[in-house]
Amino acid sequence: MSSSTFEEYLGKVIANVKSKQAHSMIKKELSNHLEELSHSFQKRGLSIEDANKKAMQEMGDPSTVGRNMNQLHKPRMDWLLIALFILLAGISFLPIIGDVVASNSSFMKKQIIWLAIAVLALIGFLFFDYRKLKDLWMYFYAAALILFFTTFLVGIPLTGGGRWMSLWGIAIDSPAISLFLFFIAWAGIFTKVTEFKGWKKLVMLLILFWLPVIFYTMLPQFVFSIMYFLCVLVMYIFYYRHNRFAIKVALGNLLVGVIFISTMILKYPSSYLPDTSIPLKDILSKAGWFGKGLHNNLILPEAHTDFVFPFLVYSLGWVFGIFLCLLLVVFVLRISRNAFKTKDLFGRLLTIGGAILFTVPACWNILMGLGIVPIMVVPLPFISYGGSMLLVYAALLGLILNVYRRKDIVESTLVN
């Protein structure tokens, strides 16, 4: 009996597995197991034909094995993460309900439209094979650079620093989109990093890393610079976590990055507001445990965007503020936990980097609302009013959910 018999057996197994993308992985896994069983029986004195037959008997009925494999290797959905997204998105309507913006009915309609588009973006990034993006890292990086230079040259200057693009009269946060593109590019680069051998290519990688940091500070978009810097650095540390020299390189870059970005922030004071310009601590001290209600007389600029956290605390109290912080912590921890559920290196890098891209703005926005860090333009993920960043966050979450969805149907590409 030849190995063709194994093929017949394996064919019957995978016929019961619905996910076609898992077929090759299951076939390879079971084939290796059958070969091992056959060899063990041959060592006991059985002929090849009898050993193969015995191996298949030990494996079990192919239909039963196939049904079991179908349960193990099928697309998954992280419903908790989706529920958290829905909850956070729902909270985004509270400032609009609270009349913090003029013509709140118009803002309500716009937020509903943007949220609907965001859901479509999430779905769009959820139901395709994300691994196809891995080999396109050069195109993503180039597209991000082109988008940046276009924004820098013809973008619309914003109050408080930064530039956006205008497309058919719609303001688009192009730096945020470029950040998303850089993020995908670097996840792809780290899966190909073994191809960058020699000091010239390593220097090129270093240049590729630092260019966006410098570019974002030129706009200036310091929070994006920090988000990008930490996102790539954390992915780098994960990839080289067993390499002491690489960790030292990462720490060196971290030190240089902190000094550089801090210096640039101080150099461009117009990019942020002094803490005394808005009495945040005074506002928060009056909030109490249960707040003043959504319909209050609080005068707080950008209460529906950058200062949504102090508005919600003032309106609904510190109980709600703590609850919101816990929601965001659970959200980020859930993403971080999911990163280690997949066996695919590219998927793990996307999830780890994505966790950073959610963590940095969430922490900065809350700390900014507490009057601890400089006041800049930085939305609270899924809660602050706005379209472009909502779409970017939704696409990012869709990609993260995509990785989780395929965690049991992709082959391992992890490196030790």
Side-chain angles (χ1 to χ4, degrees):
M1 191 176 292
S2 65
S3 60
S4 61
T5 307
F6 284 164
E7 289 293 327
E8 182 181 347
Y9 178 89
L10 294 172
K12 292 179 181 179
V13 170
I14 63 174
N16 291 275
V17 179
K18 294 180 180 179
S19 177
K20 293 182 179 180
Q21 294 179 1
H23 284 184
S24 61
M25 179 180 66
I26 293 172
K27 198 171 181 179
K28 182 179 179 180
E29 178 185 336
L30 294 182
S31 179
N32 290 336
H33 193 42
L34 285 168
E35 291 290 346
E36 289 175 1
L37 285 173
S38 179
H39 286 311
S40 67
F41 288 129
Q42 288 176 45
K43 289 180 180 179
R44 298 179 190 178
L46 294 180
S47 65
I48 295 177
E49 183 178 356
D50 290 339
N52 287 345
K53 185 182 295 185
K54 184 70 172 176
M56 289 185 290
Q57 289 175 351
E58 285 285 321
M59 187 71 73
D61 176 66
S63 297
T64 303
V65 174
R67 286 192 292 270
N68 292 335
M69 285 293 172
N70 183 57
Q71 291 299 315
L72 290 173
H73 301 282
K74 65 179 181 180
R76 310 284 179 178
M77 194 66 73
D78 190 341
W79 294 109
L80 176 59
L81 210 51
I82 292 175
L84 289 170
F85 160 68
I86 294 172
L87 190 55
L88 292 171
I91 292 173
S92 70
F93 289 99
L94 295 179
I96 302 175
I97 294 172
D99 295 326
V100 298
V101 292
S103 64
N104 62 328
S105 61
S106 173
F107 274 78
M108 179 68 76
K109 291 177 182 177
K110 289 179 180 178
Q111 184 69 353
I112 292 173
I113 292 172
W114 278 119
L115 189 57
I117 298 173
V119 171
L120 293 177
L122 188 152
I123 294 172
F125 278 90
L126 175 59
F127 293 106
F128 77 101
D129 191 349
Y130 69 88
R131 293 171 295 176
K132 294 179 180 179
L133 303 177
K134 178 172 59 178
D135 297 325
L136 303 176
W137 69 266
M138 284 185 290
Y139 298 101
F140 282 108
Y141 194 96
L145 285 181
I146 293 171
L147 189 59
F148 170 83
F149 282 117
T150 305
T151 304
F152 187 76
L153 295 173
V154 299
I156 304 170
L158 301 176
T159 303
R163 287 173 176 268
W164 281 18
M165 292 289 293
S166 179
L167 187 63
W168 298 305
I170 301 174
I172 298 174
D173 191 349
S174 46
I177 298 172
S178 69
L179 178 65
F180 180 67
L181 297 175
F182 279 130
F183 151 70
I184 297 175
W186 275 102
I189 288 173
F190 284 122
T191 63
K192 308 285 185 181
V193 77
T194 53
E195 299 176 9
F196 291 86
K197 295 181 179 179
W199 69 270
K200 290 184 179 180
K201 290 187 176 180
L202 292 176
V203 169
M204 184 184 75
L205 272 183
L206 198 61
I207 293 172
L208 290 177
F209 169 61
W210 276 100
L211 273 179
V213 177
I214 297 170
F215 290 161
Y216 284 127
T217 57
M218 288 170 59
L219 280 175
Q221 288 275 18
F222 295 117
V223 174
F224 284 168
S225 183
I226 296 169
M227 289 170 67
Y228 165 83
F229 181 81
L230 291 179
C231 173
V232 178
L233 201 63
V234 169
M235 285 195 285
Y236 173 87
I237 291 173
F238 166 76
Y239 186 85
Y240 287 108
R241 60 192 180 280
H242 300 304
N243 187 320
R244 290 186 178 181
F245 176 75
I247 298 300
K248 291 178 181 178
V249 171
L251 293 176
N253 276 273
L254 178 61
L255 179 61
V256 174
V258 169
I259 295 172
F260 174 74
I261 295 174
S262 300
T263 303
M264 295 302 289
I265 289 176
L266 295 174
K267 186 177 179 181
Y268 291 96
S270 61
S271 65
Y272 63 93
L273 298 173
D275 297 344
T276 55
S277 62
I278 300 174
L280 292 171
K281 293 181 180 179
D282 182 56
I283 290 171
L284 294 173
S285 66
K286 297 177 181 178
W289 284 109
F290 301 101
K292 308 296 182 181
L294 287 174
H295 300 281
N296 52 64
N297 297 319
L298 176 65
I299 299 175
L300 179 64
E302 305 300 328
H304 59 309
T305 54
D306 300 321
F307 294 113
V308 67
F309 181 74
F311 169 78
L312 290 173
V313 171
Y314 183 84
S315 302
L316 302 175
W318 279 104
V319 170
F320 185 83
I322 294 170
F323 169 71
L324 180 56
C325 289
L326 289 175
L327 273 183
L328 291 167
V329 168
V330 172
F331 183 79
V332 171
L333 288 179
R334 183 70 177 185
I335 293 174
S336 303
R337 172 180 172 272
N338 287 353
F340 297 93
K341 293 288 186 178
T342 181
K343 303 180 290 293
D344 177 53
L345 175 61
F346 182 59
R348 188 167 289 191
L349 289 168
L350 286 174
T351 310
I352 290 172
I356 299 299
L357 293 182
F358 279 118
T359 302
V360 174
C363 290
W364 193 284
N365 183 280
I366 291 173
L367 293 174
M368 182 177 75
L370 295 174
I372 297 174
V373 297
I375 297 172
M376 299 183 186
V377 178
V378 50
L380 191 59
F382 297 124
I383 297 175
S384 293
Y385 174 85
S388 300
M389 280 305 299
L390 179 60
L391 293 182
V392 169
Y393 286 137
L396 180 59
L397 180 59
L399 209 50
I400 290 168
L401 288 169
N402 191 334
V403 174
Y404 182 85
R405 183 174 180 270
R406 296 172 183 274
K407 69 184 182 70
D408 294 325
I409 59 176
V410 296
E411 295 186 48
S412 177
T413 57
L414 295 175
V415 291
N416 296 322

